[in-house]
Amino acid sequence: MKKLIILIIVAFYNLSTTAQHEPVLRVGDRAPALCPLKWIKGDSLVGFQKGKIYVVEFGATWCAPCAAAIPVLSSLAKKHGSSIDVVSLFVMESQGLPKNSTAYVGKVERYVAKKSAAINYRVAVDTPDGALERTWLSAAGLSGIPHIFVIDKTG
């Protein structure tokens, strides 16, 4: 009987969270702007250029699967050179800090510096209010990390 109750609760939770978080960003939509607080590694990316493909990964310093993605993303960047631009955006870093605190930026900078030899792509960090997380992940109905978006040649 306990298994049945747990299944019903899980099913209800999945139905209720899906209904409440209807995505506004869908496959085929124009990519939202990239407005990070700071670019940590590589040149800043002001906008998506037509004719170029972008791989935009959302991760965090505390996320083990995100760390495991670093060699894969670096390999992708190296293999495809100038035809694909790989970008990693560190989000969900300011949790537990006072509102508008940027104390987490140093943590991200130290993490990227430590793994710098393995990271061969651009890296930026989200704003204290989570603008990137909100306009990309939440808008797509996603929670948690890592998540990767592919921006095609048309944006």
Side-chain angles (χ1 to χ4, degrees):
M1 188 66 165
K2 286 183 182 182
K3 288 181 183 180
L4 179 60
I5 292 171
I6 292 171
L7 286 174
I8 291 171
I9 291 171
V10 169
F12 176 75
Y13 175 78
N14 286 338
L15 287 173
S16 64
T17 56
T18 303
Q20 292 173 1
H21 298 14
E22 194 63 36
V24 293
L25 179 61
R26 293 187 167 93
V27 172
D29 289 348
R30 182 150 308 283
L34 282 182
C35 300
L37 175 67
K38 182 176 182 180
W39 288 94
I40 307 289
K41 183 167 183 170
D43 297 332
S44 60
L45 183 63
V46 222
F48 298 114
Q49 297 174 353
K50 286 195 178 205
K52 190 162 192 165
I53 297 171
Y54 296 85
V55 174
V56 181
E57 182 255 356
F58 287 83
T61 57
W62 47 265
C63 171
C66 302
I70 291 172
V72 176
L73 294 168
S74 286
S75 175
L76 184 67
K78 184 178 179 180
K79 181 178 179 181
H80 295 283
S82 61
S83 64
I84 293 180
D85 201 339
V86 178
V87 180
S88 184
L89 303 172
F90 282 70
V91 297
M92 301 177 192
E93 296 286 348
S94 63
Q95 295 173 350
L97 294 174
K99 188 176 182 177
N100 296 324
S101 171
T102 58
Y104 61 92
V105 176
K107 179 181 175 185
V108 175
E109 288 172 328
R110 288 187 298 278
Y111 179 87
V112 172
K114 182 179 175 183
K115 297 186 175 289
S116 186
I119 299 173
N120 299 314
Y121 46 87
R122 301 175 207 242
V123 177
V125 64
D126 200 359
T127 59
D129 67 348
L132 291 172
E133 180 185 350
R134 187 174 55 257
T135 59
W136 286 77
L137 295 175
S138 297
L142 302 171
S143 62
I145 47 175
H147 281 290
I148 295 176
F149 291 77
V150 177
I151 314 304
D152 69 10
K153 293 181 178 185
T154 63

